[in-house]
Every structure is written in structure tokens, then in C-alpha cells.
Amino acid sequence: MKEFREYNREDAIEYARTWALYRNPRYKDYDPWGGDCTNYISQCIHAGNIPFDNQGKDVMEKWYWYSDSSRTPPWTAADAFGRYILNNNKKNTANYGIYAVLAEYNELEIGDIVQLIYRGVAYHTMIVTQVILDDKNYLLDYLICQHTEDLLDYPLSEKVGERRYIKILGYY
């Protein structure tokens, strides 16, 4: 059986904060083609040691970016990304690559993902960079980073729309 490995949330967040207001020149900027949000989030979680996945049976079941001409839709498209990371592994599988599950609002940690949804389709992707607690450890809010409308440590409570919360458990 494949070994389950941990997601490095701190490295993902360090990358997120470094590149929230800028573009890493190693990657293409997809803003002119509908937005760069999911490309940026993919970069963040890859920086958190989630490896490229070349092993799916078709392009929608793989996740990688080597160049603009050698990438998968789940790397750059919000809905394809959400479907990929939520379906790549389940409790009884050990497929190569990421293992993530739907989460409740109060279960999020740094490095987890929030998507905005319209009529069941994800159209925007963000990463949690900080959990805001009060002095009694009650959850007040989260801070997120994102691209397209570039935001660094922005309150999630200020984002409008239906949301999907995704917890990254690790990878195989």
C-alpha cells in the first residue's frame, strides 16, 4: 500500500503570502483568459509538497503544470480543480496524489481551500492563510489569499456568494 504523507500547510501559506500580490514568473498568468485564481492555488498547494499527479486515466483525473502547453484543466480551472481534488481519493482508496474532503466552515485550517459556487459550479478558488479566534478560542473569521482580484490576508467574511470548503488531508 502507498504511504500517506502530510501536506505542509506552513510552506503552502508561505508561498501564498509571497505571491498573493505578484505573479511567480515560473508560471503563466491566466488573468487574460478568465482568471488566475486556481492556477495560483495549485501553485500554493504544490509548494506544500503535494506532488504533480500524472497517473489519472484521463486529463481531468490528473493535476500538473509543466508549461502552458503541458498542463491539466484541474490545475487552472476552478470547477475542474474542485472535482479533481475531491474525487482523487476516498476513505477506501490510495490513489497517487492529493486526498481532500468537503469540510464544514468551522473545520478549516491554514492551507485549506474555499471555493465560490454558482448553481453547483465552482468559479473561484482561495486559500486559508489564517484562522482568527477570539480570546476564548471561538472562531471569528478566516483570512484568505487569492489571485484575479489579488488579495493578501483578506477576511473571508467579506467574500459574497455560496461557498464550498475543502480540507486537504495529505497525499499518497
Side-chain angles (χ1 to χ4, degrees):
M1 180 153 207
K2 295 177 188 149
E3 182 180 345
F4 182 74
R5 298 178 185 258
E6 287 191 26
Y7 171 46
N8 188 325
R9 295 172 181 282
E10 290 76 21
D11 285 357
I13 295 316
E14 180 180 339
Y15 186 96
R17 287 181 168 143
T18 299
W19 294 106
L21 304 178
Y22 307 97
R23 300 297 182 270
N24 183 335
R26 292 182 18 212
Y27 294 93
K28 185 169 184 77
D29 176 4
Y30 292 96
D31 274 331
W33 294 274
D36 194 59
C37 65
T38 304
N39 174 46
Y40 164 70
I41 297 307
S42 288
Q43 293 171 41
C44 293
I45 64 175
H46 184 59
N49 294 332
I50 302 295
F52 289 158
D53 178 0
N54 295 290
Q55 297 187 12
K57 63 183 171 197
D58 67 48
V59 72
M60 297 303 283
E61 294 179 1
K62 298 177 182 181
W63 178 77
Y64 60 81
W65 192 99
Y66 297 106
S67 69
D68 184 44
S69 61
S70 181
R71 64 178 169 92
T72 60
W75 183 275
T76 54
D79 197 60
F81 172 84
R83 282 185 276 129
Y84 165 76
I85 69 171
L86 290 171
N87 293 310
N88 189 55
N89 274 298
K90 302 288 183 192
K91 280 187 176 182
N92 59 347
T93 64
N95 296 322
Y96 185 79
I98 198 163
Y99 182 15
V101 296
L102 285 174
E104 297 295 326
Y105 174 79
N106 63 348
E107 296 175 321
L108 296 175
E109 300 174 68
I110 62 166
D112 285 334
I113 305 301
V114 179
Q115 290 193 305
L116 295 180
I117 308 295
Y118 181 71
R119 295 188 177 176
V121 177
Y123 66 90
H124 185 62
T125 310
M126 305 164 277
I127 190 166
V128 175
T129 54
Q130 188 173 340
V131 179
I132 307 296
L133 304 172
D134 71 9
D135 59 352
K136 294 182 181 171
N137 277 343
Y138 289 111
L139 177 62
L140 296 177
D141 203 351
Y142 296 101
L143 299 183
I144 55 95
C145 286
Q146 68 176 41
H147 271 188
T148 305
E149 178 190 354
D150 298 354
L151 297 173
L152 170 65
D153 291 335
Y154 187 82
L156 179 59
S157 59
E158 296 293 317
K159 299 297 288 185
V160 177
E162 181 183 346
R163 300 177 193 155
R164 172 175 23 197
Y165 306 110
I166 301 171
K167 174 165 287 306
I168 299 174
L169 301 176
Y171 67 95
Y172 289 99

